[in-house]
Amino acid sequence: MKRPAGSRGEYAKTAQRRQDILRTAVEVFTERGYEASSFREIAARVGMSETGVAFHFGGKAALLAAVLEIRGEQDAARWGGGGVIAPDRLTELVAHNAGQPGMVQLFTKLAAEGTSKNSRAHPFFTDRYDKIRRGTADHVRASQRDGRTRADLDPDLVAQVLIAVMDGLQVQWLYDESLDMAAAMDLLLSTWLPPHTPGPVTA
Amino acid sequence: MKRPAGSRGEYAKTAQRRQDILRTAVEVFTERGYEASSFREIAARVGMSETGVAFHFGGKAALLAAVLEIRGEQDAARWGGGGVIAPDRLTELVAHNAGQPGMVQLFTKLAAEGTSKNSRAHPFFTDRYDKIRRGTADHVRASQRDGRTRADLDPDLVAQVLIAVMDGLQVQWLYDESLDMAAAMDLLLSTWLPPHTPGPVTA
DNA sequence: GTCTATACCGCGATAGAC
DNA sequence: GTCTATCGCGGTATAGAC
């Protein structure tokens, strides 16, 4: 509670530093994955010491958290509803992700590392999967009420499968970028949703 | 080509050592994941020095390769055909995996880490996905010729999706073991294969 | 041929100087 | 606010004991 910002340029400079570090961290994490990334390299690229970087974020794990948030915000901005995506737009999502392999790989690696309960990424992904699973199931239920989706399918299981396909296709694609994720996703959607309804969504 | 074994107990002892190390490595990797596992701990559990372990396998990465092979052999023994599994038996596979979360997590983590081209696991998984994708597609094609599977589906895309679901469900399950992977897998299979045909397979 | 002891460098975290 | 110094721990290359 000392100096609410604005009186001098110091805070702005700090914010700029944070932005620089964050951008660089995304870069390095993307290239090397979380575990293999070093504070040293990030610091070197930003042009400051390791402890300098640590000062701004408090540690490697905290830097990770910040990166995850960034991506979350970007996604939430692109598609509405807190990262939850309507099944109709999953193909669109897949196509978009195919344009940024680095970020896809980062998330794939972090999601795997986060399966350890003592991992820093664990709470984030636990919460994330919980949310998007619930949100996707809601979408499916709504779609079933409208008659756009087969009514005999368990919405919760459909949500699990859709998210699983999403994640799983990305892994395979990271190993072989010639694979057509969108086509595979479309195949699945076309059997559960009507042949094609990317139609005019309200949002 | 010196001493084809049998004349003295030295070779047998070495083989035993390798087995001990391998078993312990699987244990530790399973508990901690690859990156977080330490050569030191593995060596300590086996009861020898770190360099002693390194002597037998040449390094942490090489130990990893050996662990991957072990698992591959176990799977190939349980289900025939070089790790390729008939779609009819995927639910069975899922149920089996649900009994060994440690190994599932290890593979999930390694598959993610392996997406980096410079990773030691990269060649293994590149080859593995290639093989099982081809093998699964063949199964689907055969199933289509028999009329047991819808003929209008692209076998290659179906293979991609089936494998993706397999992998993706495991990730979600690692975050929430209350999820029913088998039910989700069944839901998908039941829409593409006939309502249910776990029937009498020859093998 | 099998293993131990030693040493080296890189990592992340922390305390304290400027 | 930023950096220097230092710590313990990680993997591994080498030499030499048995």
Side-chain angles (χ1 to χ4, degrees):
Chain A
M1 304 298 191
K2 11 182 114 160
R3 222 158 359 129
S7 56
R8 201 61 51 80
E10 297 167 37
Y11 282 173
K13 194 178 167 190
T14 299
Q16 183 57 41
R17 270 279 195 238
R18 285 181 60 96
Q19 282 305 105
D20 290 347
I21 295 170
L22 220 42
R23 197 178 36 75
T24 307
V26 171
E27 247 179 57
V28 176
F29 283 165
T30 293
E31 289 175 21
R32 308 211 190 292
Y34 175 65
E35 297 283 4
S37 295
S38 73
F39 237 59
R40 278 185 168 77
E41 179 167 4
I42 294 172
R45 288 206 200 178
V46 186
M48 54 192 300
S49 73
E50 309 154 44
T51 28
V53 175
F55 166 79
H56 287 287
F57 286 93
K60 197 184 177 186
L63 226 187
L64 159 65
V67 170
L68 293 178
E69 264 179 43
I70 288 290
R71 157 81 173 216
E73 288 168 12
Q74 287 176 350
D75 278 11
R78 184 171 294 269
W79 297 276
V84 178
I85 296 174
D88 324 70
R89 304 189 68 188
L90 272 180
T91 306
E92 198 182 331
L93 207 207
V94 166
H96 176 250
N97 284 348
Q100 40 180 6
M103 208 54 173
V104 170
Q105 190 190 44
L106 177 59
F107 250 64
T108 298
K109 288 184 176 183
L110 292 178
E113 288 171 9
T115 57
S116 294
K117 288 191 181 61
N118 60 335
S119 163
R120 289 318 180 106
H122 184 76
F124 175 87
F125 282 103
T126 302
D127 183 62
R128 181 171 192 263
Y129 277 117
D130 212 63
K131 261 202 205 115
I132 63 176
R133 208 155 42 219
R134 264 207 284 266
T136 303
D138 286 341
H139 274 290
V140 173
R141 267 184 283 270
S143 179
Q144 286 175 324
R145 277 194 296 271
D146 295 354
R148 285 164 34 234
T149 297
R150 287 175 43 182
D152 61 322
L153 304 174
D154 181 328
D156 293 307
L157 292 180
V158 171
Q160 277 182 53
V161 171
L162 288 178
I163 294 164
V165 173
M166 185 72 207
D167 290 346
L169 285 178
Q170 287 180 345
V171 173
Q172 291 179 60
W173 174 74
L174 287 170
Y175 280 105
D176 183 356
E177 296 202 1
S178 75
L179 294 182
D180 191 343
M181 289 195 285
M185 181 59 86
D186 251 355
L187 176 69
L188 177 60
L189 293 177
S190 67
T191 65
W192 281 347
L193 280 83
H196 245 188
T197 316
V201 188
T202 49
Chain B
M1 304 293 192
K2 15 182 109 162
R3 219 143 25 112
S7 57
R8 201 59 51 81
E10 297 166 36
Y11 282 172
K13 195 179 165 192
T14 299
Q16 183 56 42
R17 267 284 194 235
R18 284 182 60 97
Q19 281 306 103
D20 289 348
I21 295 171
L22 221 41
R23 196 177 38 74
T24 308
V26 170
E27 246 179 57
V28 176
F29 283 165
T30 293
E31 289 175 20
R32 308 211 187 291
Y34 175 65
E35 297 283 3
S37 296
S38 73
F39 235 60
R40 278 183 168 81
E41 180 167 5
I42 294 172
R45 287 206 199 179
V46 186
M48 55 193 297
S49 73
E50 307 154 46
T51 26
V53 175
F55 166 77
H56 287 288
F57 287 93
K60 197 183 177 186
L63 225 189
L64 157 66
V67 170
L68 292 178
E69 266 179 42
I70 288 289
R71 157 81 175 217
E73 288 169 11
Q74 288 175 350
D75 278 9
R78 183 171 294 269
W79 296 274
V84 177
I85 296 174
D88 323 71
R89 305 189 66 188
L90 271 180
T91 306
E92 200 182 329
L93 207 208
V94 166
H96 175 251
N97 284 348
Q100 41 180 7
M103 208 52 172
V104 170
Q105 190 190 45
L106 176 59
F107 250 64
T108 298
K109 288 186 176 184
L110 292 179
E113 288 173 9
T115 56
S116 294
K117 288 192 182 63
N118 59 337
S119 161
R120 289 314 181 108
H122 183 76
F124 176 87
F125 283 102
T126 302
D127 182 64
R128 181 171 192 264
Y129 277 117
D130 212 63
K131 261 200 203 115
I132 63 178
R133 208 155 42 219
R134 264 207 285 266
T136 304
D138 286 341
H139 274 290
V140 173
R141 266 184 284 270
S143 179
Q144 286 175 324
R145 277 194 296 272
D146 295 354
R148 284 166 33 235
T149 297
R150 285 175 45 182
D152 61 321
L153 304 173
D154 181 329
D156 293 308
L157 291 180
V158 171
Q160 277 181 52
V161 171
L162 289 178
I163 295 165
V165 173
M166 185 72 206
D167 291 346
L169 285 178
Q170 288 180 344
V171 173
Q172 291 179 60
W173 175 74
L174 287 170
Y175 280 104
D176 183 355
E177 295 202 2
S178 76
L179 295 182
D180 191 342
M181 288 195 286
M185 181 59 86
D186 251 355
L187 176 68
L188 178 60
L189 292 177
S190 67
T191 63
W192 281 346
L193 282 84
H196 245 188
T197 315
V201 188
T202 49

